[in-house]
Amino acid sequence: MASHIVGYPRMGPKRELKFALESFWDGKSSAEDLEKVATDLRASIWKQMSEAGIKYIPSNTFSYYDQVLDTTAMLGAVPDRYSWTGGEIGHSTYFSMARGNATVPAMEMTKWFDTNYHFIVPELSPATKFSYASHKAVSEYKEAKALGVDTVPVLVGPVSYLLLSKAAKGVEKSFSLLSLLDSILPIYKEVVAELKAAGASWIQFDEPTLVKDLAAHELAAFSSAYAELESALSGLNVLIETYFADVPAESYKTLTSLSGVTAYGFDLVRGTKTLELIKSTGIPSGKYLFAGVVDGRNIWADDLAASLSTLQSLESVVGKDKLVVSTSCSLMHTAVDLVNETKLDSEIKSWLAFAAQKVVEVNALGKALAGQKDEAYFAANAAAQASRRSSPRVNNEEVQKAAAALKGSDHRRATPVSARLDAQQKKLNLPVLPTTTIGSFPQTMDLRRVRREYKAKKISEEDYVSAIKEEISKVVKIQEELDIDVLVHGEPERNDMVEYFGEQLSGFAFTANGWVQSYGSRCVKPPIIYGDVSRPNPMTVFWSKMAQSMTPRPMKGMLTGPVTILNWSFVRNDQPRFETCYQIALAIKKEVEDLEAGGIQVIQIDEAALREGLPLRKSEHAFYLDWAVHSFRITNCGVQDTTQIHTHMCYSNFNDIIHSIINMDADVITIENSRSDEKLLSVFREGVTYGAGIGPGVYDIHSPRIPSTEEIADRVNKMLAVLDTNILWVNPDCGLKTRKYTEVKPALTNMVAAAKLIRTQLASTK
């Protein structure tokens, strides 16, 4: 029985690609050095899958930034501002689109569906000139073939590419991105022709937008696109891969009717309704079903007995020779290899499977279907499943009762936000257009070394506290010198905003090398929520009180909200996600109340990932938003009117959930805005009334580019055209941990200067 992997992690087991990219960006290594690391990683990945017995091994899933940007490069769809003059797109143009450069900003970055992975959003217009400008897909196929591995080249499908794009600035609203289909298909044909000439027998088109709610004309675009490609694809086996959710019935009908398509890939982990659809309506005769039964988005070991039962039920639908065992999606959303976790608790480790182990699971299921079941492997898996179900460390009756008692109240603060803001202003005495930052300051090599040495017990707790205190003092002094109004302590004690809290909450486990790519070279190490969650002790109060004692200015207490902790963790799959979220909310509530009791007047509870968790189907939005927003309100429902509650959100499209954001009832929200071309402001132009404080970001922190005072002032003036002066805050898009002080200081200097300039202008017009 054949097996297939949708995609694989790129960073390497020890983040080799991350360090190679950053070295290249810093000018410390050459393009050849970077390519050597990438070549070695690709070879290792292909060899691993080949030796594991995987038949359908993907290529062209490796990327220096993301697969959508790779497709933009393939199509030569470079915005004019990058001054690309044609030919093969090189590193300079590619990374300028991703990160910006000294003279032009980066393209917009947003979340990849409902994951914490990001992609660079293509900017297209009727004037976009397409050309075959990156031969990466073909060169990687040839590279694998030279190593003796025949792979399945993977391309982002043409329709999903366009549906994930945005209209370039200044384009008429009537412009349809799908009108460009006829312009990009000739390039897809060129790529296909080269792959065929190189010897490819299969090709995979990722069309994940098929899981979304699509209009009739969008579904029609799939039919017309693959009809147009049919002759070019002749002689190839064509797999259309979907993932992350159920495929709606109409989309399923369209997909299974596409011309020239050999196989269909479905996520049967998050797509249980798709499973029923396959059983009830079937698969066209002679077509392959790539059944995604092994979860590509979580780290729990597969329940092999349950998956085998599912697969056996599908054999009668498609035939044994047409059923392929697969992952539910790319394994890039999980950690690389459990072998690297030498210090993880042995019981918990037995419950887990990272990407390397999931490859083995896929192959074991394929062999079992073919009558070659590894009885010992399946027995060990069954024992681990039983151990997890019965382990006393998973369940805490007291926590479960407290969470159950939350039902029946909406946990909204008693006083309206307008009255609260008045009370807070009397206490805080902030100027018009108050300035602040989002939380983190640059994480220097020395700072990382101190944390690393403390964890390794190479320095004492006293020395560690002294070093962190010194760093906080430096950050406070910088902000005071810059004349920022509401300060942060810079989070020097935290490597990661979720990991830091998870380490201090019960029910969480942590890995040493469980890194997952978020964007570019940015990797995160999600905690594992294996059991009921509670807060044994205060988590941030010591550091926040220390920082506040260093300045007379308001100092924000910095917390990560329950929805973001949930969405940025590997979450237990044995109870509904909302139940886990309520438990986390109660833990954060205790921390908020302790911060307030400790004299912290401004508390920021970040919900950067609230939008990210929004289900892909509209019919499921209301339920998610109800419990997600409720979880946030639980955290701060007991504070005094004079305590100002902030929240922060970034890098998603928030316009469609603006009313839920208002319903969170925060006093102030800071929200990404500049990198997305000020898209957020459009909701206020369209009549949405917002009465709380709001700080749409005035510059993009994910780019090394330093914005001028005039540029920031122009952005603030655009905000003042749609927002009242007395509610507007001035802040960056996001935290500053990924930047250098040589970038942060001048950027914040210009930000404060812009705020002061506009204050002066406003005062002169009174």
mmCIF file of all heavy atoms in Angstrom, residues 397-428:
data_model
loop_
_atom_site.group_PDB
_atom_site.id
_atom_site.type_symbol
_atom_site.label_atom_id
_atom_site.label_comp_id
_atom_site.label_asym_id
_atom_site.label_seq_id
_atom_site.Cartn_x
_atom_site.Cartn_y
_atom_site.Cartn_z
ATOM 1 N N GLU A 397 -9.484 17.565 39.045
ATOM 2 C CA GLU A 397 -10.918 17.746 39.289
ATOM 3 C C GLU A 397 -11.248 19.173 39.724
ATOM 4 O O GLU A 397 -12.271 19.744 39.314
ATOM 5 C CB GLU A 397 -11.385 16.753 40.358
ATOM 6 C CG GLU A 397 -12.895 16.699 40.517
ATOM 7 C CD GLU A 397 -13.332 15.631 41.506
ATOM 8 O OE1 GLU A 397 -12.533 14.724 41.807
ATOM 9 O OE2 GLU A 397 -14.477 15.711 41.972
ATOM 10 N N GLU A 398 -10.381 19.787 40.528
ATOM 11 C CA GLU A 398 -10.621 21.156 41.003
ATOM 12 C C GLU A 398 -10.653 22.143 39.837
ATOM 13 O O GLU A 398 -11.513 23.032 39.765
ATOM 14 C CB GLU A 398 -9.530 21.544 42.006
ATOM 15 C CG GLU A 398 -9.744 22.908 42.648
ATOM 16 C CD GLU A 398 -8.624 23.264 43.626
ATOM 17 O OE1 GLU A 398 -7.905 22.341 44.070
ATOM 18 O OE2 GLU A 398 -8.477 24.460 43.923
ATOM 19 N N VAL A 399 -9.720 21.998 38.905
ATOM 20 C CA VAL A 399 -9.668 22.868 37.720
ATOM 21 C C VAL A 399 -10.919 22.665 36.864
ATOM 22 O O VAL A 399 -11.528 23.627 36.377
ATOM 23 C CB VAL A 399 -8.395 22.589 36.900
ATOM 24 C CG1 VAL A 399 -8.437 23.325 35.559
ATOM 25 C CG2 VAL A 399 -7.157 23.000 37.685
ATOM 26 N N GLN A 400 -11.309 21.423 36.686
ATOM 27 C CA GLN A 400 -12.488 21.131 35.862
ATOM 28 C C GLN A 400 -13.750 21.736 36.456
ATOM 29 O O GLN A 400 -14.587 22.280 35.732
ATOM 30 C CB GLN A 400 -12.632 19.618 35.701
ATOM 31 C CG GLN A 400 -11.534 18.987 34.853
ATOM 32 C CD GLN A 400 -11.578 17.473 34.846
ATOM 33 O OE1 GLN A 400 -12.442 16.861 35.480
ATOM 34 N NE2 GLN A 400 -10.644 16.852 34.143
ATOM 35 N N LYS A 401 -13.878 21.695 37.773
ATOM 36 C CA LYS A 401 -15.051 22.287 38.425
ATOM 37 C C LYS A 401 -15.060 23.805 38.263
ATOM 38 O O LYS A 401 -16.104 24.409 38.009
ATOM 39 C CB LYS A 401 -15.064 21.919 39.913
ATOM 40 C CG LYS A 401 -15.501 20.492 40.204
ATOM 41 C CD LYS A 401 -15.496 20.225 41.701
ATOM 42 C CE LYS A 401 -15.962 18.807 42.005
ATOM 43 N NZ LYS A 401 -15.901 18.511 43.463
ATOM 44 N N ALA A 402 -13.908 24.433 38.424
ATOM 45 C CA ALA A 402 -13.819 25.890 38.287
ATOM 46 C C ALA A 402 -14.175 26.329 36.869
ATOM 47 O O ALA A 402 -14.878 27.336 36.669
ATOM 48 C CB ALA A 402 -12.416 26.363 38.654
ATOM 49 N N ALA A 403 -13.706 25.585 35.888
ATOM 50 C CA ALA A 403 -14.022 25.923 34.495
ATOM 51 C C ALA A 403 -15.503 25.708 34.204
ATOM 52 O O ALA A 403 -16.137 26.517 33.512
ATOM 53 C CB ALA A 403 -13.163 25.090 33.550
ATOM 54 N N ALA A 404 -16.066 24.635 34.741
ATOM 55 C CA ALA A 404 -17.493 24.358 34.520
ATOM 56 C C ALA A 404 -18.372 25.443 35.133
ATOM 57 O O ALA A 404 -19.442 25.775 34.615
ATOM 58 C CB ALA A 404 -17.845 22.996 35.101
ATOM 59 N N ALA A 405 -17.902 26.038 36.239
ATOM 60 C CA ALA A 405 -18.685 27.072 36.935
ATOM 61 C C ALA A 405 -18.730 28.389 36.176
ATOM 62 O O ALA A 405 -19.493 29.300 36.543
ATOM 63 C CB ALA A 405 -18.100 27.291 38.328
ATOM 64 N N LEU A 406 -17.931 28.522 35.125
ATOM 65 C CA LEU A 406 -17.917 29.766 34.346
ATOM 66 C C LEU A 406 -19.201 29.967 33.550
ATOM 67 O O LEU A 406 -19.539 31.088 33.169
ATOM 68 C CB LEU A 406 -16.730 29.765 33.374
ATOM 69 C CG LEU A 406 -15.338 29.821 34.011
ATOM 70 C CD1 LEU A 406 -14.276 29.565 32.950
ATOM 71 C CD2 LEU A 406 -15.116 31.163 34.691
ATOM 72 N N LYS A 407 -19.903 28.890 33.270
ATOM 73 C CA LYS A 407 -21.106 28.983 32.460
ATOM 74 C C LYS A 407 -22.169 29.767 33.219
ATOM 75 O O LYS A 407 -22.325 29.618 34.418
ATOM 76 C CB LYS A 407 -21.617 27.581 32.112
ATOM 77 C CG LYS A 407 -20.661 26.824 31.187
ATOM 78 C CD LYS A 407 -20.939 25.339 31.143
ATOM 79 C CE LYS A 407 -19.870 24.623 30.325
ATOM 80 N NZ LYS A 407 -19.998 23.169 30.392
ATOM 81 N N GLY A 408 -22.883 30.619 32.509
ATOM 82 C CA GLY A 408 -23.955 31.383 33.137
ATOM 83 C C GLY A 408 -23.618 32.843 33.368
ATOM 84 O O GLY A 408 -24.460 33.617 33.818
ATOM 85 N N SER A 409 -22.364 33.254 33.080
ATOM 86 C CA SER A 409 -21.982 34.666 33.194
ATOM 87 C C SER A 409 -21.162 35.041 31.974
ATOM 88 O O SER A 409 -20.408 34.225 31.449
ATOM 89 C CB SER A 409 -21.158 34.903 34.457
ATOM 90 O OG SER A 409 -20.586 36.203 34.450
ATOM 91 N N ASP A 410 -21.309 36.308 31.532
ATOM 92 C CA ASP A 410 -20.501 36.731 30.377
ATOM 93 C C ASP A 410 -19.207 37.409 30.824
ATOM 94 O O ASP A 410 -18.391 37.813 30.013
ATOM 95 C CB ASP A 410 -21.302 37.630 29.432
ATOM 96 C CG ASP A 410 -21.656 38.984 30.046
ATOM 97 O OD1 ASP A 410 -21.311 39.226 31.224
ATOM 98 O OD2 ASP A 410 -22.282 39.796 29.340
ATOM 99 N N HIS A 411 -19.021 37.599 32.154
ATOM 100 C CA HIS A 411 -17.781 38.134 32.705
ATOM 101 C C HIS A 411 -17.376 39.466 32.065
ATOM 102 O O HIS A 411 -16.215 39.675 31.717
ATOM 103 C CB HIS A 411 -16.658 37.096 32.596
ATOM 104 C CG HIS A 411 -16.921 35.866 33.380
ATOM 105 N ND1 HIS A 411 -17.610 34.785 32.852
ATOM 106 C CD2 HIS A 411 -16.643 35.527 34.667
ATOM 107 C CE1 HIS A 411 -17.720 33.842 33.767
ATOM 108 N NE2 HIS A 411 -17.147 34.260 34.875
ATOM 109 N N ARG A 412 -18.333 40.347 31.958
ATOM 110 C CA ARG A 412 -18.072 41.688 31.410
ATOM 111 C C ARG A 412 -17.888 42.668 32.566
ATOM 112 O O ARG A 412 -18.589 42.587 33.578
ATOM 113 C CB ARG A 412 -19.245 42.116 30.532
ATOM 114 C CG ARG A 412 -18.959 43.335 29.668
ATOM 115 C CD ARG A 412 -20.195 43.681 28.830
ATOM 116 N NE ARG A 412 -20.496 42.661 27.856
ATOM 117 C CZ ARG A 412 -19.940 42.577 26.655
ATOM 118 N NH1 ARG A 412 -19.047 43.471 26.273
ATOM 119 N NH2 ARG A 412 -20.261 41.608 25.827
ATOM 120 N N ARG A 413 -16.944 43.580 32.429
ATOM 121 C CA ARG A 413 -16.741 44.596 33.466
ATOM 122 C C ARG A 413 -18.015 45.442 33.608
ATOM 123 O O ARG A 413 -18.688 45.735 32.621
ATOM 124 C CB ARG A 413 -15.533 45.464 33.131
ATOM 125 C CG ARG A 413 -14.231 44.680 33.218
ATOM 126 C CD ARG A 413 -13.057 45.419 32.618
ATOM 127 N NE ARG A 413 -12.533 46.454 33.493
ATOM 128 C CZ ARG A 413 -11.499 47.227 33.185
ATOM 129 N NH1 ARG A 413 -10.888 47.080 32.002
ATOM 130 N NH2 ARG A 413 -11.070 48.142 34.024
ATOM 131 N N ALA A 414 -18.325 45.827 34.831
ATOM 132 C CA ALA A 414 -19.623 46.449 35.126
ATOM 133 C C ALA A 414 -19.757 47.855 34.545
ATOM 134 O O ALA A 414 -20.843 48.282 34.151
ATOM 135 C CB ALA A 414 -19.841 46.489 36.636
ATOM 136 N N THR A 415 -18.641 48.588 34.462
ATOM 137 C CA THR A 415 -18.676 49.988 34.014
ATOM 138 C C THR A 415 -18.376 50.081 32.519
ATOM 139 O O THR A 415 -17.459 49.417 32.034
ATOM 140 C CB THR A 415 -17.621 50.804 34.790
ATOM 141 O OG1 THR A 415 -17.808 50.586 36.188
ATOM 142 C CG2 THR A 415 -17.739 52.284 34.483
ATOM 143 N N PRO A 416 -19.133 50.894 31.766
ATOM 144 C CA PRO A 416 -18.862 51.045 30.329
ATOM 145 C C PRO A 416 -17.450 51.570 30.073
ATOM 146 O O PRO A 416 -16.878 52.284 30.910
ATOM 147 C CB PRO A 416 -19.915 52.053 29.867
ATOM 148 C CG PRO A 416 -20.966 52.033 30.920
ATOM 149 C CD PRO A 416 -20.281 51.689 32.203
ATOM 150 N N VAL A 417 -16.901 51.252 28.913
ATOM 151 C CA VAL A 417 -15.522 51.606 28.617
ATOM 152 C C VAL A 417 -15.298 53.117 28.623
ATOM 153 O O VAL A 417 -14.236 53.594 29.043
ATOM 154 C CB VAL A 417 -15.080 50.978 27.272
ATOM 155 C CG1 VAL A 417 -15.811 51.588 26.082
ATOM 156 C CG2 VAL A 417 -13.571 51.101 27.086
ATOM 157 N N SER A 418 -16.266 53.913 28.197
ATOM 158 C CA SER A 418 -16.081 55.373 28.174
ATOM 159 C C SER A 418 -15.835 55.911 29.576
ATOM 160 O O SER A 418 -14.954 56.764 29.785
ATOM 161 C CB SER A 418 -17.294 56.057 27.545
ATOM 162 O OG SER A 418 -18.475 55.689 28.235
ATOM 163 N N ALA A 419 -16.598 55.408 30.552
ATOM 164 C CA ALA A 419 -16.418 55.852 31.940
ATOM 165 C C ALA A 419 -15.085 55.349 32.492
ATOM 166 O O ALA A 419 -14.400 56.055 33.249
ATOM 167 C CB ALA A 419 -17.577 55.360 32.795
ATOM 168 N N ARG A 420 -14.715 54.147 32.120
ATOM 169 C CA ARG A 420 -13.433 53.605 32.578
ATOM 170 C C ARG A 420 -12.271 54.432 32.044
ATOM 171 O O ARG A 420 -11.313 54.721 32.769
ATOM 172 C CB ARG A 420 -13.272 52.139 32.138
ATOM 173 C CG ARG A 420 -14.328 51.194 32.695
ATOM 174 C CD ARG A 420 -13.873 49.737 32.615
ATOM 175 N NE ARG A 420 -13.427 49.325 31.307
ATOM 176 C CZ ARG A 420 -14.153 48.660 30.423
ATOM 177 N NH1 ARG A 420 -15.425 48.364 30.691
ATOM 178 N NH2 ARG A 420 -13.647 48.282 29.267
ATOM 179 N N LEU A 421 -12.340 54.803 30.772
ATOM 180 C CA LEU A 421 -11.260 55.606 30.181
ATOM 181 C C LEU A 421 -11.120 56.944 30.883
ATOM 182 O O LEU A 421 -9.999 57.439 31.088
ATOM 183 C CB LEU A 421 -11.508 55.805 28.685
ATOM 184 C CG LEU A 421 -11.318 54.562 27.794
ATOM 185 C CD1 LEU A 421 -11.754 54.856 26.365
ATOM 186 C CD2 LEU A 421 -9.866 54.080 27.801
ATOM 187 N N ASP A 422 -12.229 57.551 31.267
ATOM 188 C CA ASP A 422 -12.179 58.830 32.007
ATOM 189 C C ASP A 422 -11.476 58.631 33.348
ATOM 190 O O ASP A 422 -10.612 59.431 33.740
ATOM 191 C CB ASP A 422 -13.594 59.365 32.244
ATOM 192 C CG ASP A 422 -14.230 59.907 30.970
ATOM 193 O OD1 ASP A 422 -13.476 60.172 29.996
ATOM 194 O OD2 ASP A 422 -15.462 60.060 30.937
ATOM 195 N N ALA A 423 -11.847 57.555 34.046
ATOM 196 C CA ALA A 423 -11.230 57.282 35.354
ATOM 197 C C ALA A 423 -9.737 57.000 35.199
ATOM 198 O O ALA A 423 -8.914 57.441 36.018
ATOM 199 C CB ALA A 423 -11.940 56.099 36.011
ATOM 200 N N GLN A 424 -9.376 56.293 34.161
ATOM 201 C CA GLN A 424 -7.968 55.962 33.923
ATOM 202 C C GLN A 424 -7.156 57.203 33.563
ATOM 203 O O GLN A 424 -6.015 57.363 34.014
ATOM 204 C CB GLN A 424 -7.870 54.908 32.815
ATOM 205 C CG GLN A 424 -8.425 53.555 33.221
ATOM 206 C CD GLN A 424 -8.889 52.703 32.055
ATOM 207 O OE1 GLN A 424 -8.574 53.001 30.904
ATOM 208 N NE2 GLN A 424 -9.652 51.656 32.344
ATOM 209 N N GLN A 425 -7.748 58.097 32.781
ATOM 210 C CA GLN A 425 -7.027 59.300 32.383
ATOM 211 C C GLN A 425 -6.738 60.198 33.591
ATOM 212 O O GLN A 425 -5.666 60.800 33.688
ATOM 213 C CB GLN A 425 -7.811 60.070 31.308
ATOM 214 C CG GLN A 425 -7.165 61.361 30.837
ATOM 215 C CD GLN A 425 -5.749 61.176 30.278
ATOM 216 O OE1 GLN A 425 -5.336 60.069 29.940
ATOM 217 N NE2 GLN A 425 -4.996 62.266 30.193
ATOM 218 N N LYS A 426 -7.686 60.253 34.507
ATOM 219 C CA LYS A 426 -7.470 61.059 35.724
ATOM 220 C C LYS A 426 -6.286 60.517 36.518
ATOM 221 O O LYS A 426 -5.535 61.268 37.135
ATOM 222 C CB LYS A 426 -8.730 61.053 36.587
ATOM 223 C CG LYS A 426 -9.856 61.928 36.029
ATOM 224 C CD LYS A 426 -11.125 61.790 36.850
ATOM 225 C CE LYS A 426 -12.268 62.579 36.201
ATOM 226 N NZ LYS A 426 -13.564 62.340 36.874
ATOM 227 N N LYS A 427 -6.109 59.210 36.479
ATOM 228 C CA LYS A 427 -5.023 58.585 37.236
ATOM 229 C C LYS A 427 -3.700 58.609 36.466
ATOM 230 O O LYS A 427 -2.636 58.863 37.041
ATOM 231 C CB LYS A 427 -5.410 57.146 37.569
ATOM 232 C CG LYS A 427 -4.505 56.495 38.608
ATOM 233 C CD LYS A 427 -5.120 55.209 39.126
ATOM 234 C CE LYS A 427 -4.282 54.623 40.257
ATOM 235 N NZ LYS A 427 -4.881 53.397 40.812
ATOM 236 N N LEU A 428 -3.750 58.360 35.178
ATOM 237 C CA LEU A 428 -2.521 58.228 34.381
ATOM 238 C C LEU A 428 -2.027 59.562 33.821
ATOM 239 O O LEU A 428 -0.831 59.727 33.557
ATOM 240 C CB LEU A 428 -2.752 57.242 33.228
ATOM 241 C CG LEU A 428 -3.086 55.796 33.628
ATOM 242 C CD1 LEU A 428 -3.465 54.976 32.396
ATOM 243 C CD2 LEU A 428 -1.915 55.146 34.352
#
